Amino acid sequence: MNQLFWRFFLVFWATLLMAVIMVRLTFTWDNTPHLLPSENISPAGAVFFATPSIPATPLIAAHNINPADLSASIDISTIHISRHPAPPFWRHPLLHLSVLLAASILFSWVLARNIAAPVRQLKLALAGLAANNWRTQLGPELITRRDEFGSLSRNFNQMAGQAAEAIASQRRLLHDVSHELRSPLARMQILTGLAAQSPSYTAMAMEKIEQEASKLDELVTEILTFSRLESGAVCAEHIDINLAELVASVCDDARLEADNSNKSLWLHLENVPLIKGDPSLLYSAIENVIRNAVKYTPPYSEVSICLRQHQNQLSLQVRDQGPGVPPQYLSKLFTPFFRAQSNHNGIGLGLSIAKRATEACNGSIDVANIMTNNEITGFSVVISLPLNSSVIQLQ
């Protein structure tokens, strides 16, 4: 990095030095000799105007002038060579050159250091990332700058923060997946042991083992679905879909889970046009959203599901009466493996899958807390999907 500093310094200094030399050569101190009359000789014009009574000397023709007489009439003693007076020391050219040279060196050093210092700090920060120090951040002296270095520093901090969050999410994934896999496997081992010791528990044990196996299958399916969506291995189909029928099918399955928890579903499905999309991806997205709402809404409350057409798109809104999400976590809900409330089951992939599945069908998904008197009284998820261009033209 010192090489970069000296390169900038030498380039700036050489440029300024050449400019100073050009200025010096252009504006040199004029000390050339001049022929001037002596101080006791008045100019002819002054004598002429001062003594108007003296008759003017008649003009003599040039061919009548004798050069010898002209040279004899000129008194050499009355002519002397005059020079400018010596300049004072503060106007001496060497002093000016020294000051300009020192100023150019100082200016070049400051400018080169101002450029090389941020680059040096960025180099150290990148070296920290290369050493797996993902918490590396640049200091306020760089991120508060209002130039390109400040913008680059803020982008670097954002990138490092996202990388650190991704690494933490992967580590949390390993922990959560291992925990989620280990818990049902441990319960299955216990149930198998009970069935072996007491044949009367065989029927109950088999039923519980089937439930645990279903949970394992669901967990693995969720991880594989997210992995395929994240890697782009899923090629979304674009066929005609009746979204109202698809939502009703998802609600039929979710209603069984809600009834077991003393919760209810309220549906309002308008007669909407067909849309283009992938049925399996949209089913996965809607199922994750509705099941999350059923899971977080408290007992003896309801989950409202409303499908309507809004201009050139269809809007599916799912609202629950749960505790909502802290505002600082709203922007992180679509981050893979992120869980705003760790006391609930799951590994934090539901909304991540819903977002990627919706985007694969050219849609979007938004989340927000439901506020009443400045208090969170529920949570809302809105899935928006565009209508077919042919449907829009007919309308």
Side-chain angles (χ1 to χ4, degrees):
M1 194 56 61
N2 290 331
Q3 295 179 356
L4 179 64
F5 170 81
W6 287 114
R7 287 176 185 174
F8 277 116
F9 175 80
L10 291 177
V11 168
F12 294 145
W13 183 68
T15 303
L16 290 175
L17 186 60
M18 287 188 293
V20 169
I21 292 176
M22 293 299 297
V23 170
R24 175 63 185 137
L25 292 177
T26 304
F27 301 100
T28 54
W29 181 268
D30 190 5
N31 199 26
T32 56
H34 298 277
L35 292 177
L36 297 174
S38 60
E39 296 178 357
N40 57 355
I41 302 296
S42 299
V47 174
F48 176 79
F49 288 105
T51 57
S53 60
I54 301 177
T57 305
L59 297 177
I60 303 174
H63 59 82
N64 294 327
I65 298 176
N66 187 356
D69 296 338
L70 182 62
S71 60
S73 63
I74 298 176
D75 189 1
I76 302 300
S77 61
T78 62
I79 300 176
H80 69 280
I81 298 176
S82 176
R83 295 178 180 273
H84 280 304
F89 75 94
W90 61 83
R91 297 189 60 186
H92 199 281
L94 292 179
L95 179 62
H96 290 184
L97 186 60
S98 301
V99 172
L100 290 175
L101 187 61
S104 66
I105 293 175
L106 179 61
F107 174 77
S108 301
W109 185 85
V110 171
L111 190 59
R113 188 176 184 276
N114 188 52
I115 294 178
V119 177
R120 185 183 300 110
Q121 296 186 34
L122 286 172
K123 176 186 175 183
L124 295 176
L126 289 173
L129 290 182
N132 295 328
N133 185 12
W134 302 106
R135 298 294 180 183
T136 301
Q137 294 285 301
L138 294 171
E141 65 277 3
L142 275 182
I143 63 175
T144 55
R145 293 176 59 137
R146 297 185 177 180
D147 54 7
E148 285 75 8
F149 282 116
S151 177
L152 178 62
S153 301
R154 289 187 291 272
N155 292 336
F156 174 86
N157 284 353
Q158 183 179 4
M159 177 199 69
Q162 292 176 351
E165 187 174 349
I167 296 298
S169 298
Q170 290 182 357
R171 293 173 180 174
R172 188 167 58 249
L173 167 66
L174 294 176
H175 176 270
D176 293 341
V177 169
S178 61
H179 176 74
E180 294 294 333
L181 292 175
R182 184 178 180 179
S183 298
L185 287 175
R187 289 192 291 267
M188 291 171 66
Q189 289 178 350
I190 294 174
L191 292 172
T192 304
L194 289 175
Q197 293 177 3
S198 176
S200 59
Y201 288 103
T202 302
M204 183 271 294
M206 292 300 296
E207 182 181 357
K208 294 293 184 181
I209 289 174
E210 185 177 358
Q211 294 177 359
E212 298 298 335
S214 177
K215 291 181 180 179
L216 286 175
D217 180 69
E218 180 182 350
L219 175 63
V220 174
T221 301
E222 197 170 287
I223 295 175
L224 289 177
T225 301
F226 172 77
S227 177
R228 293 172 58 198
L229 289 171
E230 186 73 8
S231 62
V234 177
C235 183
E237 298 179 347
H238 292 280
I239 61 177
D240 290 335
I241 301 176
N242 189 326
L243 192 60
E245 294 180 357
L246 188 65
V247 173
S249 176
V250 174
C251 291
D252 290 340
D253 296 335
R255 186 174 282 108
L256 297 176
E257 183 179 348
D259 292 340
N260 292 332
S261 304
N262 297 319
K263 304 171 184 179
S264 60
L265 297 181
W266 181 83
L267 272 69
H268 177 72
L269 306 178
E270 295 182 357
N271 187 16
V272 295
L274 301 179
I275 63 171
K276 291 285 187 181
D278 190 305
S280 60
L281 291 179
L282 287 179
Y283 187 94
S284 176
I286 297 172
E287 181 187 30
N288 276 288
V289 172
I290 294 179
R291 292 190 64 184
N292 272 348
V294 172
K295 178 168 57 176
Y296 287 106
T297 197
Y300 306 102
S301 64
E302 69 176 13
V303 174
S304 63
I305 302 167
C306 181
L307 175 65
R308 60 168 57 95
Q309 180 180 351
H310 180 67
Q311 295 182 354
N312 297 331
Q313 63 182 7
L314 299 185
S315 176
L316 175 65
Q317 185 179 45
V318 180
R319 297 162 61 99
D320 62 51
Q321 300 177 13
V325 177
Q328 65 270 21
Y329 293 152
L330 284 175
S331 60
K332 299 181 180 180
L333 288 180
F334 298 114
T335 303
F337 316 114
F338 177 80
R339 293 185 298 177
Q341 299 180 7
S342 58
N343 57 345
H344 286 79
N345 295 329
I347 59 175
L349 285 178
L351 288 178
S352 300
I353 294 175
K355 178 179 176 61
R356 284 156 179 78
T358 303
E359 290 177 346
C361 298
N362 300 322
S364 62
I365 182 170
D366 299 298
V367 296
N369 287 317
I370 301 173
M371 307 297 295
T372 303
N373 296 328
N374 295 327
E375 294 184 359
I376 300 176
T377 57
F379 190 70
S380 172
V381 180
V382 179
I383 297 177
S384 301
L385 296 167
L387 290 174
N388 299 341
S389 57
S390 58
V391 174
I392 297 174
Q393 292 175 359
L394 290 175
Q395 293 178 348

